[in-house]
Amino acid sequence: MYSVTNLTTIADCDVLLTMANKEKADLAFKKLSEERLVTNYSTTSVEIDAILQGVIAEIAAVDSILAVLPNGPTKDSEEKRKVRLEYKKFLLENRKESFGAVALLEKELDLERVNKQLDEVNLFIDAVTAHKATL
């Protein structure tokens, strides 16, 4: 897979192993970061969905109250409440875009990319180490 046979000295192997081990350490750190992000996004996306459903139900309840209330201070108060709820819904929908299911899937993809890179670096290290042993 790798043309390690072109390496003719142990020093060349050591240089490549040092580089690969640094890359491996960087990727391990990145993997830890991505795993934490996936966990956070997973929790946040569920919370946002639950809160959003509650706000939507509350807006529906306020709509039904507004339909039967006569004009006056109580109706005005409920209309203001509805505006605040609609704004809250708007904010939650925006957060859902940033931290919802789609964002979670993007973070999961990032994590899998890092895992694949780590696997490949490990294969490289194994190949160079095996060749170094033959020198």
Side-chain angles (χ1 to χ4, degrees), residues 38-122:
V38 166
T39 301
N40 289 343
Y41 275 58
S42 176
T43 304
T44 304
S45 68
V46 171
E47 289 173 359
I48 291 170
D49 282 338
I51 295 168
L52 182 58
Q53 292 309 310
V55 169
I56 290 170
E58 200 171 347
I59 289 171
V62 169
D63 280 340
S64 61
I65 291 170
L66 284 171
V68 296
L69 279 177
N71 288 337
T74 304
K75 187 170 187 170
D76 292 342
S77 175
E78 288 300 310
E79 286 173 344
K80 289 177 186 174
R81 181 174 169 217
K82 181 180 176 184
V83 169
R84 285 191 302 272
L85 287 169
E86 287 174 342
Y87 180 66
K88 187 174 182 179
K89 178 184 171 199
F90 169 77
L91 292 175
L92 286 166
E93 288 171 341
N94 283 337
R95 281 192 68 207
K96 186 175 179 178
E97 288 177 21
S98 299
F99 294 97
V102 172
L104 172 61
L105 286 168
E106 288 174 356
K107 290 300 168 191
E108 289 172 341
L109 175 62
D110 292 343
L111 177 58
E112 285 308 310
R113 281 186 189 136
V114 171
N115 285 331
K116 298 294 184 205
Q117 288 176 313
L118 264 171
D119 291 344
E120 197 60 35
V121 168
N122 284 326

